[in-house]
């Protein structure tokens, strides 16, 4: 199973990029069964960065007027996938040059029903359902304007659930989180 981050150029959709992040579900299951990796709850999800098998991607640059879409790609043999819908995605500013930046409405289209701005400056994106077990989170950057920031460095967290067997073979729901970094910039 891949977690896919797509960057769709709204001006030229054929010039879009997709970043697949393959999840090693077997290694994750082994870690849940035999280690104290963490509770895998919604408040303390399991960080799956160590279970991404091949991350060869450099820091993705997100341009203005771009749609960012996070979803799961089912691979051959994943027909009975244990992936359940995403819980949410969140966007946090991690830049050093403007650490207090919270004016997301200068960067993202925050008017949609799936985007919420929290008091701490975190932007939450709720998922849109494709089917009973597949969903995606999507947010769009605005067209660049005079008051757009030059660059914003973000942590784009994807929170989702997986059904994993414990050591006794019982199904358990584990919440997992993947935190790719990205840069929103006009010079893409």
């Amino acid at each position: 199973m891949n977690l896919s981050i797509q960057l769709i150029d709204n001006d030229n959709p054929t010039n879009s990029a997709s970043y697949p992040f393959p999840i090693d579900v077997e290694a994750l299951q082994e870690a849940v069964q035999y280690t104290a990796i963490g509770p895998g709850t919604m408040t303390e999800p399991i960080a799956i960065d160590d279970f991404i098998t091949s991350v060869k991607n450099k820091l993705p640059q997100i341009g203005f007027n771009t749609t960012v879409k996070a979803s799961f790609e089912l691979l051959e043999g994943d027909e009975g996938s244990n992936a359940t819908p995403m819980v949410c995605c969140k966007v946090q500013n991690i830049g050093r040059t403007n650490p207090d930046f919270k004016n997301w409405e200068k960067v993202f289209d925050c008017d949609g029903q799936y985007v919420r701005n929290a008091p701490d400056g975190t932007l939450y994106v709720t998922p849109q359902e494709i089917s009973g077990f597949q969903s995606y989170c999507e947010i769009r950057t605005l067209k660049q304007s005079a008051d757009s920031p030059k660059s914003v460095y973000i942590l784009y967290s994807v929170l989702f659930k997986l059904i994993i067997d414990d050591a006794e073979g019982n199904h358990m729901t584990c919440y997992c989180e993947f935190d790719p970094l990205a840069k929103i910039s006009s010079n893409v």
Side-chain angles (χ1 to χ4, degrees):
M1 169 173 41
N2 285 347
L3 178 60
S4 175
I5 307 291
Q6 292 177 290
L7 303 179
I8 303 162
D9 183 336
N10 294 324
D11 291 325
N12 184 8
T14 58
N15 190 25
S16 300
S18 182
Y19 298 89
F21 297 97
I23 301 170
D24 188 341
V25 178
E26 286 182 25
L28 178 58
Q29 182 169 331
E30 182 178 346
V32 167
Q33 290 176 351
Y34 302 110
T35 71
I37 192 170
T41 63
M42 187 146 30
T43 55
E44 292 184 50
I46 297 169
I48 65 158
D49 299 57
D50 290 338
F51 302 98
I52 302 296
T53 55
S54 63
V55 178
K56 297 178 183 175
N57 303 315
K58 62 181 183 176
L59 183 70
Q61 289 199 36
I62 302 169
F64 286 92
N65 200 25
T66 299
T67 299
V68 181
K69 182 178 180 180
S71 62
F72 286 102
E73 290 178 340
L74 300 179
L75 304 175
E76 190 174 325
D78 283 342
E79 290 78 22
S81 174
N82 60 0
T84 56
M86 289 188 186
V87 175
C88 71
C89 291
K90 59 185 179 181
V91 180
Q92 296 173 297
N93 173 27
I94 58 166
R96 289 184 184 193
T97 56
N98 52 358
D100 296 329
F101 178 80
K102 296 177 184 166
N103 297 326
W104 294 117
E105 62 278 350
K106 290 184 178 182
V107 178
F108 292 108
D109 177 3
C110 297
D111 293 333
Q113 67 177 350
Y114 298 104
V115 180
R116 299 287 178 260
N117 199 344
D120 69 353
T122 302
L123 198 62
Y124 286 90
V125 183
T126 56
Q128 300 176 49
E129 190 173 306
I130 297 171
S131 69
F133 68 94
Q134 283 189 300
S135 59
Y136 65 94
C137 289
E138 183 175 274
I139 191 167
R140 184 178 59 85
T141 59
L142 300 174
K143 290 187 178 195
Q144 189 168 18
S145 65
D147 64 341
S148 297
K150 182 177 178 185
S151 295
V152 178
Y153 291 88
I154 63 169
L155 181 67
Y156 186 83
S157 301
V158 180
L159 182 66
F160 60 96
K161 296 186 290 185
L162 284 177
I163 307 300
I164 295 180
D165 292 340
D166 64 14
E168 289 80 40
N170 301 313
H171 298 311
M172 58 186 273
T173 300
C174 290
Y175 288 86
C176 301
E177 187 171 39
F178 178 52
D179 297 318
L181 303 175
K183 175 183 177 182
I184 301 171
S185 175
S186 60
N187 50 348
V188 173

